[in-house]
Amino acid sequence: MINKKMQDALNTQINLEQYSAQLYLAMSAHCDGMSFKGFAHWLRIQAGEETAHAMKLIDFLLDRSGKLDLKPIAAPPTEFGGVIQVFEMILAHEKGITEKINALFALARTEKDYASEITLQWYVTEQVEEESNVGQIVDHLRAVGDQGGGIWYLDSRMGKRAAK
Ligand code: OFO
């Protein structure tokens, strides 16, 4: 059975993953509103992945006979600016999530909760991938700028993202 400290920390992370899904869904709608259908599509898939991250933690918590303690999910912002700003915001958000995952991992170690540590390894790896992917998108966006044909080319490429 999972201890209370670890259970509380995992419940907090579940809420954060759900918030990430909300945030990316709001950003997707924002990009859709600017007719950037490809960026909107990419973000919609990302929102689904964040929900999957939450579900994976929920399953783990339940497998350990933990108590799921769902809390209200904070409302995301409604204004995001241009596409470059959207992705810069995502990069900053994911860096913050990485810090949370690292802190959770450290807690699992302190608590000698090896099962949590092993499960959280997946999240540590996932954060490396997320920061790298989003960092690349930010670089490409900064290179082409908010105006002109380049951003529409990027939009069409983003529209090709397939769900995992
Ligand atoms: Fe769940 O990885 Fe992004 O936030």
Side-chain angles (χ1 to χ4, degrees):
M1 187 164 175
I2 198 156
N3 78 22
K4 175 88 169 72
K5 223 175 183 179
M6 203 68 224
Q7 174 180 288
D8 290 349
L10 286 173
N11 272 308
T12 301
Q13 188 62 34
I14 288 163
N15 186 269
L16 266 176
E17 300 291 344
Q18 290 181 305
Y19 174 73
S20 298
Q22 292 276 88
L23 177 65
Y24 296 153
L25 196 53
M27 286 172 163
S28 171
H30 176 72
C31 288
D32 192 276
M34 295 187 288
S35 293
F36 286 118
K37 299 282 182 187
F39 288 105
H41 167 81
W42 191 96
L43 284 158
R44 179 76 75 100
I45 288 182
Q46 192 62 28
E49 283 200 5
E50 297 299 350
T51 299
H53 295 171
M55 295 306 163
K56 200 176 163 83
L57 286 178
I58 289 170
D59 286 340
F60 174 72
L61 191 61
L62 297 178
D63 283 347
R64 302 280 309 282
S65 305
K67 187 177 179 309
L68 177 62
D69 186 14
L70 291 174
K71 294 274 190 292
I73 304 165
T78 48
E79 289 306 321
F80 298 100
V83 180
I84 296 178
Q85 283 162 287
V86 167
F87 278 83
E88 284 174 341
M89 201 186 285
I90 295 173
L91 187 56
H93 177 73
E94 287 302 332
K95 284 182 176 168
I97 296 292
T98 299
E99 279 176 26
K100 302 285 185 194
I101 294 289
N102 289 345
L104 258 181
F105 191 92
L107 178 66
R109 281 221 161 145
T110 315
E111 295 297 310
K112 293 190 167 49
D113 184 340
Y114 304 116
S116 289
E117 190 176 318
I118 289 166
T119 293
L120 288 166
Q121 266 180 18
W122 182 90
Y123 288 84
V124 171
T125 309
E126 178 71 7
Q127 284 310 117
V128 171
E129 193 188 308
E130 294 216 339
E131 279 193 37
S132 163
N133 287 344
V134 177
Q136 224 172 63
I137 295 167
V138 168
D139 285 345
H140 291 168
L141 279 166
R142 283 181 183 151
V144 301
D146 249 337
Q147 310 287 328
I151 196 161
W152 293 104
Y153 168 70
L154 285 183
D155 185 63
S156 71
R157 260 191 14 195
M158 297 290 276
K160 294 190 170 59
R161 180 180 185 182
K164 269 187 200 164

